[in-house]
PDB file of all heavy atoms in Angstrom:
ATOM      1  N   LEU A   1      95.426  47.234-128.416  1.00 89.00           N
ATOM      2  CA  LEU A   1      94.236  46.388-128.353  1.00 89.00           C
ATOM      3  C   LEU A   1      93.787  46.126-129.786  1.00 89.00           C
ATOM      4  O   LEU A   1      93.197  46.996-130.431  1.00 89.00           O
ATOM      5  CB  LEU A   1      93.123  47.075-127.553  1.00 89.00           C
ATOM      6  CG  LEU A   1      93.367  47.231-126.056  1.00 89.00           C
ATOM      7  CD1 LEU A   1      92.245  48.033-125.416  1.00 89.00           C
ATOM      8  CD2 LEU A   1      93.486  45.872-125.380  1.00 89.00           C
ATOM      9  N   GLY A   2      94.096  44.935-130.278  1.00 87.00           N
ATOM     10  CA  GLY A   2      93.687  44.587-131.628  1.00 87.00           C
ATOM     11  C   GLY A   2      92.335  43.904-131.624  1.00 87.00           C
ATOM     12  O   GLY A   2      91.511  44.108-130.719  1.00 87.00           O
ATOM     13  N   GLU A   3      92.090  43.092-132.619  1.00 89.00           N
ATOM     14  CA  GLU A   3      90.847  42.337-132.665  1.00 89.00           C
ATOM     15  C   GLU A   3      90.917  41.167-131.693  1.00 89.00           C
ATOM     16  O   GLU A   3      91.977  40.588-131.468  1.00 89.00           O
ATOM     17  CB  GLU A   3      90.599  41.825-134.087  1.00 89.00           C
ATOM     18  CG  GLU A   3      90.358  42.923-135.108  1.00 89.00           C
ATOM     19  CD  GLU A   3      90.010  42.372-136.475  1.00 89.00           C
ATOM     20  OE1 GLU A   3      90.005  41.130-136.629  1.00 89.00           O
ATOM     21  OE2 GLU A   3      89.748  43.172-137.385  1.00 89.00           O
ATOM     22  N   GLY A   4      89.788  40.822-131.088  1.00 90.00           N
ATOM     23  CA  GLY A   4      89.753  39.683-130.178  1.00 90.00           C
ATOM     24  C   GLY A   4      89.454  40.084-128.749  1.00 90.00           C
ATOM     25  O   GLY A   4      89.036  41.218-128.464  1.00 90.00           O
ATOM     26  N   ASN A   5      89.664  39.138-127.829  1.00 93.00           N
ATOM     27  CA  ASN A   5      89.341  39.318-126.415  1.00 93.00           C
ATOM     28  C   ASN A   5      90.626  39.416-125.595  1.00 93.00           C
ATOM     29  O   ASN A   5      91.568  38.637-125.813  1.00 93.00           O
ATOM     30  CB  ASN A   5      88.515  38.129-125.914  1.00 93.00           C
ATOM     31  CG  ASN A   5      87.236  37.937-126.720  1.00 93.00           C
ATOM     32  OD1 ASN A   5      86.500  38.880-126.981  1.00 93.00           O
ATOM     33  ND2 ASN A   5      86.983  36.701-127.133  1.00 93.00           N
ATOM     34  N   TYR A   6      90.629  40.348-124.639  1.00 95.00           N
ATOM     35  CA  TYR A   6      91.846  40.588-123.868  1.00 95.00           C
ATOM     36  C   TYR A   6      91.555  40.764-122.381  1.00 95.00           C
ATOM     37  O   TYR A   6      90.514  41.309-121.994  1.00 95.00           O
ATOM     38  CB  TYR A   6      92.550  41.858-124.363  1.00 95.00           C
ATOM     39  CG  TYR A   6      93.020  41.789-125.787  1.00 95.00           C
ATOM     40  CD1 TYR A   6      92.237  42.307-126.815  1.00 95.00           C
ATOM     41  CD2 TYR A   6      94.243  41.213-126.116  1.00 95.00           C
ATOM     42  CE1 TYR A   6      92.652  42.247-128.132  1.00 95.00           C
ATOM     43  CE2 TYR A   6      94.677  41.150-127.436  1.00 95.00           C
ATOM     44  CZ  TYR A   6      93.874  41.667-128.439  1.00 95.00           C
ATOM     45  OH  TYR A   6      94.289  41.600-129.746  1.00 95.00           O
ATOM     46  N   ILE A   7      92.516  40.311-121.562  1.00 95.00           N
ATOM     47  CA  ILE A   7      92.577  40.669-120.148  1.00 95.00           C
ATOM     48  C   ILE A   7      93.778  41.586-120.011  1.00 95.00           C
ATOM     49  O   ILE A   7      94.898  41.224-120.418  1.00 95.00           O
ATOM     50  CB  ILE A   7      92.742  39.420-119.263  1.00 95.00           C
ATOM     51  CG1 ILE A   7      91.527  38.496-119.425  1.00 95.00           C
ATOM     52  CG2 ILE A   7      92.913  39.819-117.799  1.00 95.00           C
ATOM     53  CD1 ILE A   7      91.685  37.151-118.739  1.00 95.00           C
ATOM     54  N   VAL A   8      93.564  42.781-119.479  1.00 96.00           N
ATOM     55  CA  VAL A   8      94.604  43.803-119.449  1.00 96.00           C
ATOM     56  C   VAL A   8      94.985  44.107-118.006  1.00 96.00           C
ATOM     57  O   VAL A   8      94.142  44.535-117.214  1.00 96.00           O
ATOM     58  CB  VAL A   8      94.127  45.090-120.146  1.00 96.00           C
ATOM     59  CG1 VAL A   8      95.244  46.135-120.152  1.00 96.00           C
ATOM     60  CG2 VAL A   8      93.670  44.789-121.571  1.00 96.00           C
ATOM     61  N   LEU A   9      96.255  43.878-117.669  1.00 96.00           N
ATOM     62  CA  LEU A   9      96.778  44.220-116.355  1.00 96.00           C
ATOM     63  C   LEU A   9      97.565  45.515-116.479  1.00 96.00           C
ATOM     64  O   LEU A   9      98.529  45.597-117.264  1.00 96.00           O
ATOM     65  CB  LEU A   9      97.690  43.115-115.815  1.00 96.00           C
ATOM     66  CG  LEU A   9      96.999  41.913-115.146  1.00 96.00           C
ATOM     67  CD1 LEU A   9      96.219  41.097-116.161  1.00 96.00           C
ATOM     68  CD2 LEU A   9      98.018  41.036-114.427  1.00 96.00           C
ATOM     69  N   ALA A  10      97.157  46.537-115.715  1.00 95.00           N
ATOM     70  CA  ALA A  10      97.780  47.847-115.855  1.00 95.00           C
ATOM     71  C   ALA A  10      97.597  48.644-114.571  1.00 95.00           C
ATOM     72  O   ALA A  10      96.915  48.217-113.641  1.00 95.00           O
ATOM     73  CB  ALA A  10      97.165  48.595-117.043  1.00 95.00           C
ATOM     74  N   ASP A  11      98.211  49.817-114.545  1.00 95.00           N
ATOM     75  CA  ASP A  11      98.040  50.723-113.411  1.00 95.00           C
ATOM     76  C   ASP A  11      96.664  51.375-113.468  1.00 95.00           C
ATOM     77  O   ASP A  11      96.032  51.443-114.532  1.00 95.00           O
ATOM     78  CB  ASP A  11      99.128  51.800-113.428  1.00 95.00           C
ATOM     79  CG  ASP A  11      99.079  52.675-112.193  1.00 95.00           C
ATOM     80  OD1 ASP A  11      99.502  52.208-111.121  1.00 95.00           O
ATOM     81  OD2 ASP A  11      98.596  53.817-112.297  1.00 95.00           O
ATOM     82  N   LEU A  12      96.229  51.878-112.335  1.00 94.00           N
ATOM     83  CA  LEU A  12      94.899  52.482-112.245  1.00 94.00           C
ATOM     84  C   LEU A  12      94.713  53.655-113.200  1.00 94.00           C
ATOM     85  O   LEU A  12      93.586  53.937-113.626  1.00 94.00           O
ATOM     86  CB  LEU A  12      94.650  52.952-110.808  1.00 94.00           C
ATOM     87  CG  LEU A  12      94.451  51.830-109.778  1.00 94.00           C
ATOM     88  CD1 LEU A  12      94.720  52.342-108.378  1.00 94.00           C
ATOM     89  CD2 LEU A  12      93.060  51.258-109.884  1.00 94.00           C
ATOM     90  N   ALA A  13      95.796  54.339-113.550  1.00 92.00           N
ATOM     91  CA  ALA A  13      95.666  55.559-114.344  1.00 92.00           C
ATOM     92  C   ALA A  13      96.090  55.379-115.801  1.00 92.00           C
ATOM     93  O   ALA A  13      96.166  56.357-116.538  1.00 92.00           O
ATOM     94  CB  ALA A  13      96.494  56.676-113.705  1.00 92.00           C
ATOM     95  N   GLU A  14      96.337  54.152-116.234  1.00 93.00           N
ATOM     96  CA  GLU A  14      96.893  53.958-117.580  1.00 93.00           C
ATOM     97  C   GLU A  14      95.862  53.912-118.694  1.00 93.00           C
ATOM     98  O   GLU A  14      96.215  54.075-119.860  1.00 93.00           O
ATOM     99  CB  GLU A  14      97.734  52.680-117.614  1.00 93.00           C
ATOM    100  CG  GLU A  14      99.072  52.814-116.906  1.00 93.00           C
ATOM    101  CD  GLU A  14      99.980  51.621-117.135  1.00 93.00           C
ATOM    102  OE1 GLU A  14      99.900  50.671-116.336  1.00 93.00           O
ATOM    103  OE2 GLU A  14     100.761  51.643-118.094  1.00 93.00           O
ATOM    104  N   PHE A  15      94.601  53.650-118.360  1.00 91.00           N
ATOM    105  CA  PHE A  15      93.585  53.520-119.409  1.00 91.00           C
ATOM    106  C   PHE A  15      92.372  54.394-119.105  1.00 91.00           C
ATOM    107  O   PHE A  15      91.992  54.568-117.940  1.00 91.00           O
ATOM    108  CB  PHE A  15      93.131  52.061-119.553  1.00 91.00           C
ATOM    109  CG  PHE A  15      94.104  51.190-120.278  1.00 91.00           C
ATOM    110  CD1 PHE A  15      95.135  50.564-119.593  1.00 91.00           C
ATOM    111  CD2 PHE A  15      94.008  51.007-121.654  1.00 91.00           C
ATOM    112  CE1 PHE A  15      96.041  49.764-120.256  1.00 91.00           C
ATOM    113  CE2 PHE A  15      94.912  50.205-122.324  1.00 91.00           C
ATOM    114  CZ  PHE A  15      95.933  49.585-121.628  1.00 91.00           C
ATOM    115  N   ASP A  16      91.787  54.928-120.151  1.00 88.00           N
ATOM    116  CA  ASP A  16      90.512  55.637-120.043  1.00 88.00           C
ATOM    117  C   ASP A  16      89.399  54.608-120.256  1.00 88.00           C
ATOM    118  O   ASP A  16      89.054  54.266-121.390  1.00 88.00           O
ATOM    119  CB  ASP A  16      90.433  56.746-121.092  1.00 88.00           C
ATOM    120  CG  ASP A  16      89.114  57.514-121.033  1.00 88.00           C
ATOM    121  OD1 ASP A  16      88.291  57.226-120.137  1.00 88.00           O
ATOM    122  OD2 ASP A  16      88.915  58.395-121.890  1.00 88.00           O
ATOM    123  N   LEU A  17      88.839  54.101-119.152  1.00 88.00           N
ATOM    124  CA  LEU A  17      87.846  53.028-119.255  1.00 88.00           C
ATOM    125  C   LEU A  17      86.590  53.462-119.994  1.00 88.00           C
ATOM    126  O   LEU A  17      85.886  52.624-120.565  1.00 88.00           O
ATOM    127  CB  LEU A  17      87.469  52.527-117.860  1.00 88.00           C
ATOM    128  CG  LEU A  17      88.558  51.811-117.052  1.00 88.00           C
ATOM    129  CD1 LEU A  17      87.950  51.158-115.818  1.00 88.00           C
ATOM    130  CD2 LEU A  17      89.275  50.777-117.888  1.00 88.00           C
ATOM    131  N   SER A  18      86.276  54.750-119.950  1.00 83.00           N
ATOM    132  CA  SER A  18      85.029  55.206-120.580  1.00 83.00           C
ATOM    133  C   SER A  18      85.010  54.927-122.077  1.00 83.00           C
ATOM    134  O   SER A  18      83.948  54.852-122.687  1.00 83.00           O
ATOM    135  CB  SER A  18      84.820  56.697-120.324  1.00 83.00           C
ATOM    136  OG  SER A  18      85.836  57.461-120.967  1.00 83.00           O
ATOM    137  N   LYS A  19      86.200  54.746-122.688  1.00 84.00           N
ATOM    138  CA  LYS A  19      86.241  54.433-124.118  1.00 84.00           C
ATOM    139  C   LYS A  19      85.718  53.024-124.395  1.00 84.00           C
ATOM    140  O   LYS A  19      85.263  52.727-125.497  1.00 84.00           O
ATOM    141  CB  LYS A  19      87.680  54.543-124.640  1.00 84.00           C
ATOM    142  CG  LYS A  19      88.224  55.959-124.668  1.00 84.00           C
ATOM    143  CD  LYS A  19      89.648  55.956-125.231  1.00 84.00           C
ATOM    144  CE  LYS A  19      90.214  57.367-125.300  1.00 84.00           C
ATOM    145  NZ  LYS A  19      91.608  57.359-125.822  1.00 84.00           N
ATOM    146  N   TYR A  20      85.817  52.160-123.390  1.00 87.00           N
ATOM    147  CA  TYR A  20      85.452  50.757-123.571  1.00 87.00           C
ATOM    148  C   TYR A  20      84.204  50.366-122.782  1.00 87.00           C
ATOM    149  O   TYR A  20      83.651  49.294-122.991  1.00 87.00           O
ATOM    150  CB  TYR A  20      86.626  49.865-123.156  1.00 87.00           C
ATOM    151  CG  TYR A  20      87.927  50.301-123.779  1.00 87.00           C
ATOM    152  CD1 TYR A  20      88.868  51.016-123.039  1.00 87.00           C
ATOM    153  CD2 TYR A  20      88.201  50.036-125.111  1.00 87.00           C
ATOM    154  CE1 TYR A  20      90.063  51.440-123.614  1.00 87.00           C
ATOM    155  CE2 TYR A  20      89.392  50.458-125.697  1.00 87.00           C
ATOM    156  CZ  TYR A  20      90.315  51.165-124.940  1.00 87.00           C
ATOM    157  OH  TYR A  20      91.482  51.584-125.519  1.00 87.00           O
ATOM    158  N   ASN A  21      83.810  51.224-121.863  1.00 86.00           N
ATOM    159  CA  ASN A  21      82.599  50.983-121.069  1.00 86.00           C
ATOM    160  C   ASN A  21      82.044  52.330-120.621  1.00 86.00           C
ATOM    161  O   ASN A  21      82.527  52.906-119.647  1.00 86.00           O
ATOM    162  CB  ASN A  21      82.909  50.104-119.859  1.00 86.00           C
ATOM    163  CG  ASN A  21      81.651  49.653-119.142  1.00 86.00           C
ATOM    164  OD1 ASN A  21      80.608  50.305-119.216  1.00 86.00           O
ATOM    165  ND2 ASN A  21      81.733  48.550-118.438  1.00 86.00           N
ATOM    166  N   PRO A  22      81.036  52.865-121.312  1.00 82.00           N
ATOM    167  CA  PRO A  22      80.535  54.206-120.992  1.00 82.00           C
ATOM    168  C   PRO A  22      79.822  54.296-119.643  1.00 82.00           C
ATOM    169  O   PRO A  22      79.492  55.393-119.192  1.00 82.00           O
ATOM    170  CB  PRO A  22      79.567  54.502-122.141  1.00 82.00           C
ATOM    171  CG  PRO A  22      79.148  53.155-122.632  1.00 82.00           C
ATOM    172  CD  PRO A  22      80.340  52.268-122.455  1.00 82.00           C
ATOM    173  N   TYR A  23      79.586  53.153-118.995  1.00 82.00           N
ATOM    174  CA  TYR A  23      78.904  53.174-117.703  1.00 82.00           C
ATOM    175  C   TYR A  23      79.883  53.292-116.544  1.00 82.00           C
ATOM    176  O   TYR A  23      79.491  53.245-115.383  1.00 82.00           O
ATOM    177  CB  TYR A  23      78.049  51.912-117.542  1.00 82.00           C
ATOM    178  CG  TYR A  23      76.953  51.834-118.579  1.00 82.00           C
ATOM    179  CD1 TYR A  23      77.156  51.213-119.800  1.00 82.00           C
ATOM    180  CD2 TYR A  23      75.715  52.427-118.345  1.00 82.00           C
ATOM    181  CE1 TYR A  23      76.168  51.173-120.764  1.00 82.00           C
ATOM    182  CE2 TYR A  23      74.718  52.393-119.300  1.00 82.00           C
ATOM    183  CZ  TYR A  23      74.948  51.768-120.510  1.00 82.00           C
ATOM    184  OH  TYR A  23      73.957  51.739-121.457  1.00 82.00           O
ATOM    185  N   ILE A  24      81.155  53.417-116.853  1.00 85.00           N
ATOM    186  CA  ILE A  24      82.176  53.512-115.814  1.00 85.00           C
ATOM    187  C   ILE A  24      82.871  54.862-115.910  1.00 85.00           C
ATOM    188  O   ILE A  24      83.311  55.276-116.975  1.00 85.00           O
ATOM    189  CB  ILE A  24      83.215  52.382-115.945  1.00 85.00           C
ATOM    190  CG1 ILE A  24      82.565  51.035-115.627  1.00 85.00           C
ATOM    191  CG2 ILE A  24      84.399  52.623-115.020  1.00 85.00           C
ATOM    192  CD1 ILE A  24      83.494  49.860-115.795  1.00 85.00           C
ATOM    193  N   GLU A  25      82.962  55.534-114.777  1.00 86.00           N
ATOM    194  CA  GLU A  25      83.694  56.795-114.685  1.00 86.00           C
ATOM    195  C   GLU A  25      84.807  56.598-113.657  1.00 86.00           C
ATOM    196  O   GLU A  25      84.554  56.476-112.465  1.00 86.00           O
ATOM    197  CB  GLU A  25      82.760  57.927-114.257  1.00 86.00           C
ATOM    198  CG  GLU A  25      83.443  59.282-114.204  1.00 86.00           C
ATOM    199  CD  GLU A  25      82.474  60.379-113.772  1.00 86.00           C
ATOM    200  OE1 GLU A  25      81.881  60.248-112.688  1.00 86.00           O
ATOM    201  OE2 GLU A  25      82.320  61.357-114.518  1.00 86.00           O
ATOM    202  N   LEU A  26      86.037  56.535-114.128  1.00 90.00           N
ATOM    203  CA  LEU A  26      87.188  56.288-113.258  1.00 90.00           C
ATOM    204  C   LEU A  26      88.106  57.507-113.271  1.00 90.00           C
ATOM    205  O   LEU A  26      88.530  57.967-114.333  1.00 90.00           O
ATOM    206  CB  LEU A  26      87.957  55.052-113.742  1.00 90.00           C
ATOM    207  CG  LEU A  26      89.204  54.677-112.935  1.00 90.00           C
ATOM    208  CD1 LEU A  26      88.824  54.225-111.529  1.00 90.00           C
ATOM    209  CD2 LEU A  26      89.994  53.581-113.648  1.00 90.00           C
ATOM    210  N   LYS A  27      88.381  58.009-112.073  1.00 91.00           N
ATOM    211  CA  LYS A  27      89.309  59.122-111.921  1.00 91.00           C
ATOM    212  C   LYS A  27      90.329  58.758-110.851  1.00 91.00           C
ATOM    213  O   LYS A  27      90.004  58.078-109.877  1.00 91.00           O
ATOM    214  CB  LYS A  27      88.570  60.405-111.528  1.00 91.00           C
ATOM    215  CG  LYS A  27      87.593  60.905-112.588  1.00 91.00           C
ATOM    216  CD  LYS A  27      86.911  62.185-112.141  1.00 91.00           C
ATOM    217  CE  LYS A  27      85.929  62.683-113.208  1.00 91.00           C
ATOM    218  NZ  LYS A  27      85.231  63.926-112.782  1.00 91.00           N
ATOM    219  N   VAL A  28      91.554  59.223-111.043  1.00 93.00           N
ATOM    220  CA  VAL A  28      92.643  58.876-110.133  1.00 93.00           C
ATOM    221  C   VAL A  28      93.437  60.128-109.812  1.00 93.00           C
ATOM    222  O   VAL A  28      93.749  60.927-110.701  1.00 93.00           O
ATOM    223  CB  VAL A  28      93.583  57.822-110.775  1.00 93.00           C
ATOM    224  CG1 VAL A  28      94.670  57.414-109.795  1.00 93.00           C
ATOM    225  CG2 VAL A  28      92.797  56.605-111.243  1.00 93.00           C
ATOM    226  N   ASP A  29      93.730  60.330-108.517  1.00 91.00           N
ATOM    227  CA  ASP A  29      94.681  61.368-108.132  1.00 91.00           C
ATOM    228  C   ASP A  29      95.788  60.725-107.312  1.00 91.00           C
ATOM    229  O   ASP A  29      95.901  59.502-107.242  1.00 91.00           O
ATOM    230  CB  ASP A  29      94.002  62.527-107.396  1.00 91.00           C
ATOM    231  CG  ASP A  29      93.304  62.103-106.107  1.00 91.00           C
ATOM    232  OD1 ASP A  29      93.753  61.133-105.472  1.00 91.00           O
ATOM    233  OD2 ASP A  29      92.310  62.756-105.721  1.00 91.00           O
ATOM    234  N   GLU A  30      96.621  61.515-106.662  1.00 89.00           N
ATOM    235  CA  GLU A  30      97.785  60.963-105.968  1.00 89.00           C
ATOM    236  C   GLU A  30      97.405  60.052-104.809  1.00 89.00           C
ATOM    237  O   GLU A  30      98.133  59.108-104.483  1.00 89.00           O
ATOM    238  CB  GLU A  30      98.673  62.098-105.468  1.00 89.00           C
ATOM    239  CG  GLU A  30      99.364  62.864-106.601  1.00 89.00           C
ATOM    240  CD  GLU A  30     100.316  63.913-106.068  1.00 89.00           C
ATOM    241  OE1 GLU A  30     100.443  64.023-104.828  1.00 89.00           O
ATOM    242  OE2 GLU A  30     100.928  64.615-106.893  1.00 89.00           O
ATOM    243  N   GLU A  31      96.265  60.298-104.167  1.00 92.00           N
ATOM    244  CA  GLU A  31      95.899  59.527-102.979  1.00 92.00           C
ATOM    245  C   GLU A  31      94.702  58.610-103.181  1.00 92.00           C
ATOM    246  O   GLU A  31      94.613  57.559-102.548  1.00 92.00           O
ATOM    247  CB  GLU A  31      95.606  60.480-101.807  1.00 92.00           C
ATOM    248  CG  GLU A  31      96.823  61.248-101.337  1.00 92.00           C
ATOM    249  CD  GLU A  31      96.525  62.060-100.092  1.00 92.00           C
ATOM    250  OE1 GLU A  31      95.348  62.051 -99.634  1.00 92.00           O
ATOM    251  OE2 GLU A  31      97.453  62.696 -99.576  1.00 92.00           O
ATOM    252  N   ASN A  32      93.774  58.995-104.049  1.00 93.00           N
ATOM    253  CA  ASN A  32      92.513  58.270-104.162  1.00 93.00           C
ATOM    254  C   ASN A  32      92.210  57.846-105.590  1.00 93.00           C
ATOM    255  O   ASN A  32      92.736  58.414-106.557  1.00 93.00           O
ATOM    256  CB  ASN A  32      91.355  59.137-103.649  1.00 93.00           C
ATOM    257  CG  ASN A  32      91.501  59.480-102.190  1.00 93.00           C
ATOM    258  OD1 ASN A  32      91.727  58.618-101.349  1.00 93.00           O
ATOM    259  ND2 ASN A  32      91.395  60.759-101.865  1.00 93.00           N
ATOM    260  N   VAL A  33      91.353  56.845-105.679  1.00 93.00           N
ATOM    261  CA  VAL A  33      90.777  56.458-106.959  1.00 93.00           C
ATOM    262  C   VAL A  33      89.267  56.587-106.799  1.00 93.00           C
ATOM    263  O   VAL A  33      88.704  56.220-105.763  1.00 93.00           O
ATOM    264  CB  VAL A  33      91.197  55.025-107.361  1.00 93.00           C
ATOM    265  CG1 VAL A  33      90.868  54.026-106.273  1.00 93.00           C
ATOM    266  CG2 VAL A  33      90.515  54.608-108.664  1.00 93.00           C
ATOM    267  N   TYR A  34      88.606  57.138-107.807  1.00 92.00           N
ATOM    268  CA  TYR A  34      87.168  57.391-107.751  1.00 92.00           C
ATOM    269  C   TYR A  34      86.490  56.571-108.844  1.00 92.00           C
ATOM    270  O   TYR A  34      86.777  56.747-110.033  1.00 92.00           O
ATOM    271  CB  TYR A  34      86.870  58.871-107.958  1.00 92.00           C
ATOM    272  CG  TYR A  34      87.599  59.783-106.999  1.00 92.00           C
ATOM    273  CD1 TYR A  34      88.896  60.219-107.290  1.00 92.00           C
ATOM    274  CD2 TYR A  34      87.011  60.192-105.812  1.00 92.00           C
ATOM    275  CE1 TYR A  34      89.579  61.042-106.419  1.00 92.00           C
ATOM    276  CE2 TYR A  34      87.690  61.023-104.932  1.00 92.00           C
ATOM    277  CZ  TYR A  34      88.969  61.442-105.235  1.00 92.00           C
ATOM    278  OH  TYR A  34      89.650  62.258-104.357  1.00 92.00           O
ATOM    279  N   LEU A  35      85.598  55.687-108.437  1.00 90.00           N
ATOM    280  CA  LEU A  35      84.841  54.890-109.399  1.00 90.00           C
ATOM    281  C   LEU A  35      83.374  55.258-109.284  1.00 90.00           C
ATOM    282  O   LEU A  35      82.763  55.065-108.232  1.00 90.00           O
ATOM    283  CB  LEU A  35      85.033  53.396-109.150  1.00 90.00           C
ATOM    284  CG  LEU A  35      84.326  52.481-110.155  1.00 90.00           C
ATOM    285  CD1 LEU A  35      84.983  52.595-111.526  1.00 90.00           C
ATOM    286  CD2 LEU A  35      84.321  51.038-109.701  1.00 90.00           C
TER     287      LEU A  35
END
């Protein structure tokens, strides 16, 4: 992620969203995703 604006398509577990949005807590296990 360089400078500028991006749309990122990825798996549910590939990014730590809290680094880019502190109001989001995303956790993923084998069966569920927790937002």
